[in-house]
Amino acid sequence: AEKVTSLGKDWHRPCLRCEKCNKTLTSGGHAEHDGKPYCNHPCYAALFGPKGECLWWGHGGSEGAWGS
């Protein structure tokens, strides 16, 4: 099996997978949290990205909430 290096470790290519959705990842093409790999989108963004941006643009909150 082909070896890839990511997060300071060597992996078999099929073993480098997103902790949430189990998608196979590429070396350097993913995010990390607590030493575990995640696909950038949607998993890392949904789990660890900024929260509440939808409220500011009217998707579940009121338009113009910045000034409220």
Side-chain angles (χ1 to χ4, degrees):
E2 188 177 342
K3 177 179 83 170
V4 294
T5 301
S6 186
L7 307 174
K9 298 188 282 187
D10 292 333
W11 305 73
H12 295 110
R13 180 167 296 285
C15 295
L16 182 59
R17 296 182 168 272
C18 175
E19 283 288 311
K20 182 167 177 13
C21 72
N22 210 32
K23 175 183 168 184
T24 302
L25 304 171
T26 59
S27 181
H30 58 83
E32 173 270 334
H33 186 81
D34 288 337
K36 297 177 183 173
Y38 293 89
C39 56
N40 287 316
H41 188 76
C43 296
Y44 184 87
L47 291 169
F48 310 110
K51 304 288 188 235
E53 67 266 10
C54 290
L55 294 176
W56 304 118
W57 301 108
H59 304 288
S62 60
E63 297 277 350
W66 287 107
S68 322

